[in-house]
Amino acid sequence: MQTDGQSRRTTVKEKTPEVQDGDVNDTQSYLPDDPHIGNSRKVYFETYGCQMNVNDTEIAWSILQRKGYLRTSELSQADVILLVTCSVREKAEQTIWNRLQQLTYMKKRRSKVHGPLKIGVLGCMAERLKTELLEREKLVDVLAGPDAYRDLPRLLALAHGGQRASNVLLSLEETYADVMPVHYTPQGHSAFISIMRGCDNMCSYCIVPFTRGRERSRPVSSILEEVRLLSDQGVKEITLLGQNVNSYRDTSEEQFCGPEPTHLSHGFSTIYRGHKGGLRFADLLDRVSQVNPEMRVRFTSPHPKDFPDEVLHLIQERGNICKQIHLPAQSGSSRVLQAMRRGYTRETYLELVANIRKIIPEVSLSSDFIAGFCGETEEDHQQTLSLLREVHYSVGFLFAYSMRKKTHAFHRLQDDVPAEVKRRRLEELIGVFREEAARVNASLIGSTQLLLVEGESKRSTEELCGRNDGNLKVIFPSPQAFAVRSGDYVLVKITSASSQSLRGHALGPASLRSAGKVLPQDYRDEQMEVC
């Protein structure tokens, strides 16, 4: 979810009427209750940013499909092009601006025989930059914010009628609980499930609360229905999604409501009033993991404050909940963390890391870091480098800070770290991260890892690629002794490692519940030696 940019203005010879939020009250005249209103028009999606946007694409497509639209994977065949966008960082928005210029050029050159091409922007950028996109630059026909996907058929009907239309209103209730996403899983083994929307944390650097609204959780019953459906379709791995996924709390039914407050990690705090009652994340994780013991369960993105021991013990106890935790630190300096309004210090973060490793000894940790936040000194930067060395992450997502409008930092802090200093600090963070990740991964050489096979390696059709429990990519030659397909579980002995991936050779097919029992006899001795 990132983007920024200045775009060249596009001259529009003919002024087109614009319809905005609340401008049309009589929707019946524009959108009759007709399941075929899409008239078999073909929709092409381009998705940018985080996994939440992948799930939003599936929700939007589910809604349009019901109204008679078709989906195409060929841009040249599209009647409607929808960009699902992100606003978290400046670079991501610039990517969208550039893409819109390309698509506008293509739209002008489109043959009249094929009918008019319509372009829409969905998601966070639609909400944040409505005026620039719809009115000033006039690059798009339709804008729909993250909570307005149900309105897409109406908006597109208006666009097909020659008007520009938008709905970027945020909701306090919308979770799309009754919209079953059409999961687009080409390899058929993994899927993302949105369990909540919005965020209440109000970290000073983050625009998400302003583009996706306040936090609200999807009912457990709706989530479990989707999990069961995916299980029946043969999906082997699901990832539960949310902006602050582990603060999940379902209060949709009276029986779930009660006085019990949110349990936070020891030493952590929030700037908002704690939630009470309802089914918590540990309850959801427990129920989801029981749907199919042969289906892996992951979740992202969590906040460190929401890891009480009950969540950690559940992860350790359940064989199909991956022993991999994303633990966004953002900085190693307590002073910077306070300016970020993260609700913890360096010391409490490290205490949480120690507690996680005590309860889940084999855990794999990943994290997010921001280089060059407002007021960050060289000493603060060095403390972040030392945190990277101390924690030993396997996977990292590192970015240079970019100021976003509407955020607390925009109104109260000064973006005073020069761009060249940000770049240099980011490069140093990446360098230290890679050194530590290489050490962590090297420690796995000689071990046996259970992989979920994703398919062929990008570099060779004679090699396969899968991911282990810690979400590390593992590449291995396609075995001759037994067949391996995408979606299979396989045991692989690790023979080499880099900072980004592992390599090995397959020992035999396996399952989550009985990995050692299902090996071919020829491979069992070698597996026992490794263990």
Side-chain angles (χ1 to χ4, degrees), residues 8-298:
R8 176 176 53 83
R9 290 190 176 228
T10 302
T11 303
V12 180
K13 295 181 180 179
E14 185 177 39
K15 186 171 182 178
T16 308
E18 298 165 0
V19 181
Q20 302 177 1
D21 307 320
D23 285 352
V24 180
N25 295 319
D26 182 14
T27 58
Q28 186 68 24
S29 61
Y30 294 95
L31 185 59
D33 189 14
D34 179 1
H36 305 295
I37 196 169
N39 198 27
S40 298
R41 293 186 179 94
K42 294 180 179 178
V43 181
Y44 178 86
F45 286 94
E46 285 187 7
T47 305
Y48 298 82
C50 71
Q51 292 146 326
M52 285 292 292
N53 282 2
V54 174
N55 188 256
D56 277 7
T57 300
E58 294 166 346
I59 290 171
W61 170 230
S62 177
I63 291 168
L64 290 177
Q65 186 183 48
R66 296 177 188 177
K67 292 296 182 179
Y69 284 88
L70 303 176
R71 186 169 181 174
T72 179
S73 58
E74 298 294 330
L75 182 62
S76 60
Q77 297 179 7
D79 302 302
V80 178
I81 299 172
L82 298 178
L83 308 186
V84 185
T85 64
C86 169
S87 280
V88 170
R89 271 171 283 275
E90 189 174 344
K91 182 179 178 182
E93 285 185 2
Q94 182 61 61
T95 300
I96 302 300
W97 282 116
N98 294 340
R99 184 58 170 156
L100 285 172
Q101 296 287 357
Q102 297 169 0
L103 294 176
T104 301
Y105 177 75
M106 186 181 84
K107 178 179 179 179
K108 290 180 178 180
R109 293 175 58 87
R110 182 181 172 94
S111 171
K112 293 183 179 180
V113 175
H114 297 100
L117 175 66
K118 300 301 177 182
I119 299 173
V121 170
L122 315 185
C124 296
M125 191 171 169
E127 195 285 330
R128 195 178 91 79
L129 297 172
K130 169 185 169 181
T131 301
E132 289 88 338
L133 285 166
L134 194 68
E135 301 170 10
R136 193 181 73 199
E137 300 294 346
K138 299 188 184 297
L139 295 176
V140 300
D141 304 287
V142 166
L143 284 179
D147 293 341
Y149 300 143
R150 293 182 193 273
D151 203 24
L152 267 176
R154 179 184 75 92
L155 298 175
L156 285 173
L158 292 169
H160 291 309
Q163 303 180 73
R164 290 191 172 91
S166 73
N167 184 347
V168 295
L169 295 175
L170 293 176
S171 168
L172 292 174
E173 299 176 348
E174 181 63 85
T175 63
Y176 300 106
D178 61 328
V179 179
M180 192 60 64
V182 179
H183 290 279
Y184 184 64
T185 52
Q187 297 170 320
H189 65 82
S190 64
F192 299 112
I193 298 178
S194 177
I195 67 169
M196 62 189 303
R197 302 183 73 82
C199 185
D200 287 347
N201 289 322
M202 300 299 290
C203 300
S204 62
Y205 55 82
C206 187
I207 197 173
V208 167
F210 304 98
T211 59
R212 287 190 172 267
R214 298 297 300 272
E215 185 177 293
R216 63 269 189 204
S217 297
R218 182 177 165 190
V220 166
S221 57
S222 170
I223 298 168
L224 293 177
E225 180 185 358
E226 187 172 350
V227 173
R228 293 187 190 102
L229 177 63
L230 291 169
S231 177
D232 291 342
Q233 293 174 355
V235 169
K236 293 290 188 69
E237 180 179 282
I238 57 170
T239 302
L240 306 179
L241 295 178
Q243 309 304 144
N244 182 182
V245 65
N246 52 341
S247 69
Y248 174 90
R249 191 170 279 265
D250 176 16
T251 58
S252 62
E253 296 184 31
E254 189 174 335
Q255 67 198 49
F256 297 154
C257 296
E260 190 173 4
T262 297
H263 296 277
L264 298 183
S265 307
H266 178 69
F268 288 71
S269 63
T270 67
I271 65 169
Y272 61 85
R273 183 181 299 175
H275 301 293
K276 292 185 178 181
L279 292 175
R280 298 158 298 163
F281 184 63
D283 301 314
L284 174 67
L285 200 57
D286 173 34
R287 298 184 185 199
V288 167
S289 67
Q290 293 185 57
V291 171
N292 182 353
E294 285 298 314
M295 177 188 282
R296 269 181 175 172
V297 180
R298 299 187 189 276

Side-chain angles (χ1 to χ4, degrees), residues 478-492:
S478 182
Q480 302 298 315
F482 57 96
V484 179
R485 298 173 299 176
S486 174
D488 287 346
Y489 288 114
V490 176
L491 285 168
V492 171

